[in-house]
Amino acid sequence: MAVESPNLFPPLDLEKEMKRWKHVFQVLNEPEPKIGHTPRNEVWKKNKSVLWHYPAKQKKYAIPLFFVYSLFNKPYILDIAPKASVIEGLTNRGYEVYLLDWGTPGYEDKNIGLDTYIQKYLRTAVKRAIRHSGAEEITLVGYCLGGTIASIYASIAEEPIKNLIVATVPIDFSTIVGPDKWAEGLKEGNINVDRFIDVFGVVPPAYVEGIFRAVSAPIYFTNYSTLLNRAHDQRYVDKWRRMNKWTTDHVPFAGEAFRQLSNDLFKENKLVKGELMIGDKKANLKNIKSNMLVVSSSNDNLVLEPQSLPIMDLVSSVDKTYKLVEAGHVSLALTGLFAVVVDEWASSRSNPL
């Protein structure tokens, strides 16, 4: 007696599939989405870096927010779209916001190291923001590697930093997210970063993208499959296009800065050990006494919670808060949720007018 095999696949709807693929091709061939909607003005510029000021819609706080973003990516993820912008959300809540955009380094910037970025770019920009705002103190906000840089700066700063906020921040590099052999090669010196930098001068954007593909695979590759399934949903497509633009819009990484990042942080973990030197100053996190908020994302697959938590014990701050939010590494900014998190904590610590 013959037994019919069950039909495991639904019948092919050719018309529906043609519409689906037509939508996908339309999305992939449309002009790039506009980003950076919040009104701003240029306050200061050095080389490729620009300090932007975003005025408060109606100023409610005397202490401004100063954002420091990663050197790996462009900072427009913080102002990605109306009603989903972190910066817009904060200016609407009454904060004066400043953002240091590191810019796009060229080969001529190969000798810029972390110490130069921190002492000659970040420090000067903070001074300009304080002077421009007329404030007596400032709140420093660092996201991802920008949080690491902000923490290093805060540990040697002479400027009046009242509050320090860091989100999805790598501090303890004893754990590195990514292929095990890659991490092992970095720590044991089998991957020679120095020779790579000597040859290339700067890390090309394609290599930066390769690093993130290696770290986040296979999740990184699912964006096109989700687009295929939801290309008919215009709201989803709009978010997808902005996210896709940002994730593929990497910038070169100044060679000397990458050398320091790889050797001093990834390999030697000097920040946690209190051994990191920035110029002639030791970046000891115990020097930080500012009020502090540390934010981690529960679904973060790039910076794990154990990489961020140690800063809570390393700083000398009396007023310090740790908050774990339900979000991903990027979605915390992409959805504008970070503005809510910052406001809930900073509103009572920013000298309300």
Side-chain angles (χ1 to χ4, degrees):
M1 180 177 179
V3 178
E4 294 186 2
S5 300
N7 188 1
L8 300 178
F9 301 98
L12 178 65
D13 186 334
L14 186 60
E15 183 178 353
K16 181 179 179 181
E17 290 303 312
M18 289 179 67
K19 285 182 179 180
R20 183 208 301 266
W21 283 99
K22 182 180 179 180
H23 282 142
V24 171
F25 285 125
Q26 285 177 341
V27 171
L28 296 178
N29 287 283
E30 289 177 348
E32 288 190 344
K34 181 183 176 183
I35 45 86
H37 297 263
T38 308
R40 66 182 185 178
N41 54 80
E42 182 179 315
V43 173
W44 170 81
K45 185 173 184 178
K46 180 179 177 65
N47 193 8
K48 316 293 171 46
S49 300
V50 178
L51 175 62
W52 296 105
H53 170 233
Y54 301 81
K57 192 169 184 179
Q58 183 178 353
K59 188 174 179 179
K60 296 180 181 179
Y61 302 100
I63 298 180
L65 304 174
F66 187 108
F67 274 82
V68 184
Y69 198 69
S70 173
L71 293 168
F72 279 111
N73 303 96
K74 294 183 179 180
Y76 60 74
I77 189 70
L78 299 171
D79 191 25
I80 196 73
K83 298 181 181 180
S85 164
V86 172
I87 291 176
E88 179 189 49
L90 290 167
T91 57
N92 285 346
R93 287 171 169 82
Y95 296 91
E96 296 285 315
V97 177
Y98 293 85
L99 167 68
L100 178 58
D101 183 342
W102 300 109
T104 304
Y107 182 78
E108 65 277 11
D109 302 309
K110 63 180 180 178
N111 293 322
I112 296 178
L114 290 178
D115 47 356
T116 302
Y117 273 129
I118 290 170
Q119 292 186 307
K120 295 187 177 180
Y121 286 73
L122 180 53
R123 168 168 280 159
T124 305
V126 167
K127 288 181 178 179
R128 290 298 181 96
I130 292 173
R131 186 170 72 186
H132 182 267
S133 66
E136 295 182 357
E137 299 173 293
I138 203 163
T139 295
L140 201 60
V141 187
Y143 200 102
C144 189
L145 182 62
T148 312
I149 294 171
S151 300
I152 294 170
Y153 163 61
S155 73
I156 62 172
E158 299 172 357
E159 293 68 44
I161 301 172
K162 180 175 182 179
N163 305 306
L164 175 61
I165 301 173
V166 292
T168 65
V169 57
I171 293 293
D172 186 349
F173 290 86
S174 60
T175 299
I176 299 179
V177 177
D180 292 341
K181 291 296 183 182
W182 182 39
E184 182 181 318
L186 279 172
K187 290 185 178 298
E188 295 183 2
N190 296 323
I191 296 178
N192 195 322
V193 172
D194 293 322
R195 290 183 61 187
F196 178 86
I197 297 304
D198 289 342
V199 171
F200 282 90
V202 298
V203 182
Y207 282 76
V208 173
E209 183 176 355
I211 291 171
F212 281 96
R213 281 179 181 264
V215 168
S216 58
I219 298 171
Y220 186 95
F221 299 99
T222 62
N223 55 344
Y224 289 102
S225 62
T226 55
L227 174 64
L228 180 61
N229 289 324
R230 301 183 62 180
H232 62 282
D233 183 341
Q234 191 55 48
R235 288 183 62 186
Y236 175 81
V237 167
D238 182 63
K239 292 180 180 179
W240 183 93
R241 291 177 70 236
R242 295 174 190 278
M243 176 65 177
N244 190 63
K245 172 180 170 59
W246 180 80
T247 54
T248 57
D249 196 13
H250 295 290
V251 294
F253 204 110
E256 191 58 34
F258 191 79
R259 192 196 308 270
Q260 288 179 275
L261 181 68
S262 299
N263 292 334
D264 291 349
L265 297 183
F266 288 167
K267 184 179 179 181
E268 302 292 340
N269 207 16
K270 288 183 178 180
L271 182 58
V272 166
K273 296 175 182 177
E275 299 173 354
L276 180 66
M277 297 298 297
I278 298 297
D280 60 354
K281 293 189 175 183
K282 183 172 288 188
N284 193 329
L285 294 176
K286 291 189 180 299
N287 295 333
I288 297 177
K289 299 178 182 179
S290 310
N291 303 328
M292 185 154 198
L293 170 65
V294 180
V295 182
S296 289
S297 298
S298 58
N299 300 319
D300 195 335
N301 62 348
L302 287 177
V303 178
L304 305 180
E305 190 177 5
Q307 293 179 276
S308 301
L309 265 175
I311 195 172
M312 294 294 291
D313 294 324
L314 292 171
V315 299
S316 298
S317 307
V318 175
D319 179 349
K320 51 185 176 181
T321 304
Y322 181 79
K323 187 174 182 66
L324 181 66
V325 298
E326 189 173 347
H329 183 84
V330 177
S331 65
L332 178 63
L334 184 68
T335 61
L337 174 61
F338 190 44
V340 178
V341 175
V342 169
D343 179 54
E344 287 177 348
W345 183 86
S347 57
S348 61
R349 298 169 174 85
S350 299
N351 295 4
L353 298 175

